[in-house]
Amino acid sequence: AFGLSVIENPRQDMAFKHYRPQAGNPRSLSHKSVRVIHEDSKGRLWLGTARGLNLMDREQGTFSLISQSRGLPNNAIRAIAEDDGGNLWISTSNGLCRFNPDGMTFRNYDTHDGLLGNDFNSRALYRRPGGEIFLGGSRGIISFFPSKVMDNPHVPAVVFTSPSGTREDCFDP
């Protein structure tokens, strides 16, 4: 749990390059505890840490941080899987996120969306060859097919009621 070490020239001298957080450098690794490493289908390297998701620029040896302030449900990344559409499914200590790295869009899921619990276990993930994803959490195991996860298109009407439960007409047309 001391950052990331990469073999620079595996066919030559086997020298390691070490990446660690550097105070005051926003392009360094965000935290020394790298919990999960995922290479996506486009060859991008994603590192899940205790302080967010890091995208590594392998040529420059720098990192871009994607954190809760940008849309993640929590900075404590537990596991990462990619679906057939190129979305990353990221489990955290406070919910699940479908992240589209190309569009930088987030859709977060929690118990209000039907999850058993919001806290997932580190590296407790399995993706079957058919695309089904299994995630382990503090309240059990969930499984789903990412292509079948749909948002509810129905937007409920907002109605104000009085303390007695009767409907109040608050707005005059």
Side-chain angles (χ1 to χ4, degrees):
F2 298 103
L4 175 69
S5 296
V6 177
I7 300 173
E8 289 190 310
N9 299 308
R11 293 193 173 108
Q12 294 175 7
D13 58 5
M14 298 293 286
F16 283 89
K17 170 74 175 164
H18 302 285
Y19 298 95
R20 293 186 176 89
Q22 299 168 356
N25 182 357
R27 302 289 293 163
S28 70
L29 191 61
S30 66
H31 193 267
K32 68 179 182 178
S33 178
V34 177
R35 295 181 175 163
V36 61
I37 299 172
H38 177 80
E39 184 175 23
D40 70 15
S41 59
K42 293 186 176 180
R44 296 174 290 203
L45 195 63
W46 301 93
L47 296 106
T49 73
R51 289 199 186 125
L53 182 66
N54 293 252
L55 172 60
M56 183 178 189
D57 181 329
R58 295 183 201 193
E59 289 184 20
Q60 300 295 318
T62 59
F63 300 86
S64 298
L65 176 62
I66 298 164
S67 64
Q68 193 170 348
S69 66
R70 293 191 52 197
L72 287 174
N74 190 269
N75 286 334
I77 308 300
R78 304 293 198 207
I80 304 169
E82 184 176 4
D83 67 21
D84 293 335
N87 296 303
L88 298 182
W89 290 83
I90 304 165
S91 64
T92 73
S93 65
N94 192 32
L96 178 64
C97 178
R98 180 182 64 211
F99 171 59
N100 179 311
D102 296 326
M104 291 299 287
T105 58
F106 301 83
R107 170 59 167 97
N108 297 326
Y109 301 90
D110 59 23
T111 55
H112 295 100
D113 298 297
L115 293 180
L116 295 173
N118 292 332
D119 189 18
F120 290 91
N121 297 329
S122 290
R123 298 175 301 280
L125 181 144
Y126 175 69
R127 183 177 186 261
R128 290 180 56 170
E132 186 176 14
I133 294 175
F134 293 81
L135 293 166
S138 59
R139 303 202 40 135
I141 296 173
I142 65 165
S143 70
F144 62 96
F145 288 92
S147 62
K148 296 186 188 265
V149 175
M150 302 290 173
D151 289 334
N152 184 350
H154 176 70
V155 178
V158 177
V159 176
F160 294 93
T161 61
S162 70
S164 65
T166 61
R167 182 179 174 148
E168 296 286 327
D169 291 322
C170 299
F171 303 103
D172 289 328

